Amino acid sequence: MTITALYVDTTHNMDDSVVGRFARVLGLSPIRTENIAQVYEQIKRADDPCAAGKQALVLTANHGPFLRKCPGTREYTCCDYHILNIGTYCTMDCAYCILQSYFHPPLLHFFVNHEDLFAELDQLIDSGQQLRIGTGEFTDSLIWESYSDLTHRLVTHFGRQERSVLELKTKTTAIAGLEGLPHKRKTIVAWSVNTPEVIADQERGTATLKARLRAAAQCQAWGYPLAFHFDPIILYPGCERAYAQVVDAIFGHVSAENIAWISMGTLRFMPLLHSVIQKRFPSSAIIYGEFIPGLDNKMRYFKPLRIKIYKHLMARIRRHAPDLTTYLCMEDDAVWDQSFGFSPSLHGGLPVMLDTSAGRHCGLR
Ligand code: SF4
């Protein structure tokens, strides 16, 4: 989706060169305003606020915390991840994207107070804990590569320490800026993957599976560890075979030894998203599966269906890489047990499993 308006929040003192770069690449004159609330009102009044919010970008400061723990729920096994909030929303357009109903209104923001970001990051890293920190939770990690040097700075910054790891999560192929950086394997480049059918039907504006895997192979050649996320897994006739082929394609492109982890999570959504998908993606059938409300109030596939596909995918992964760290996103011990034959507590808990793998792949101390 094309960005047609660039707003600059003048309540924050902003570096003109940062604004200039966004304006130049977008070919837009920045609209300077101290009343961003007016922009929010405009987006809310649009016929399709979710689409309108992808056509306007606000450059502003983040006045809240940059870092927060992933808000897992008590009922499901959480991976103990830290989210680094670099901006919100996304230029791509996936039918199932939770961000459509998460922000009010959904609107592209990129935070420019990077000195505050790095100060907060250092404070956390200096606390001495081993951390996994990711930027791909409230946005895609690599959508601003042509506009900002933030990824370059983050990767270089993580390369200077040995306790924590940065995970960049994307559906793009915007990896050119990662070449030649002194990453010291402290950045994991991760792709969300899906079947070619799901990508074509439900993920507008994203890279094809082949392109994502080629980009992953390139990052591997540049020395980066990798990760893959099967999320959301969508059930449809023939999906088991199709997802197995995605597993095969991953191992056909990159080395099992270079994959820090693979995660899996089936489609889940807050009931509010149902009507958004119905309205914005009328030909999408993803909301018409066998869903039940979970303990976190999100709708999910009926448990036996989730277990069946997890089991199937895990068996396929094990064929290629018996020891690869594979985990389930937001599932309970019973689902783990029935899908994988063990629950994370056998290995000290999911955070320990992932920290151990990060330590091994990224050389953490
Ligand atoms: S790529 Fe991710 S953040 Fe972007 S629209 Fe798709 S699901 Fe949402």
Side-chain angles (χ1 to χ4, degrees), residues 16 56 74-75 170 247 253 255 275 315:
D16 272 346
R74 232 177 311 128
E75 294 82 6
T170 190
V247 172
H253 280 79
S255 151
S275 56

Side-chain angles (χ1 to χ4, degrees), residues 53-105:
K54 290 176 186 285
Q55 291 166 304
L57 166 65
V58 176
L59 297 182
T60 186
N62 180 9
H63 298 294
F66 276 100
L67 282 148
R68 63 174 87 165
K69 274 194 130 179
C70 183
T73 54
R74 232 177 311 128
E75 294 82 6
Y76 298 110
T77 304
C78 183
C79 64
D80 227 354
Y81 197 64
H82 278 80
I83 298 167
L84 177 58
N85 188 9
I86 59 167
T88 60
Y89 210 33
C90 183
T91 50
M92 295 174 277
D93 200 13
C94 302
Y96 52 75
C97 181
I98 198 167
L99 302 180
Q100 298 174 99
S101 61
Y102 190 84
F103 298 113
H104 303 283

Side-chain angles (χ1 to χ4, degrees), residues 13 40 184 330:
N13 208 357
Y40 295 165
K184 307 272 177 61
M330 302 299 281

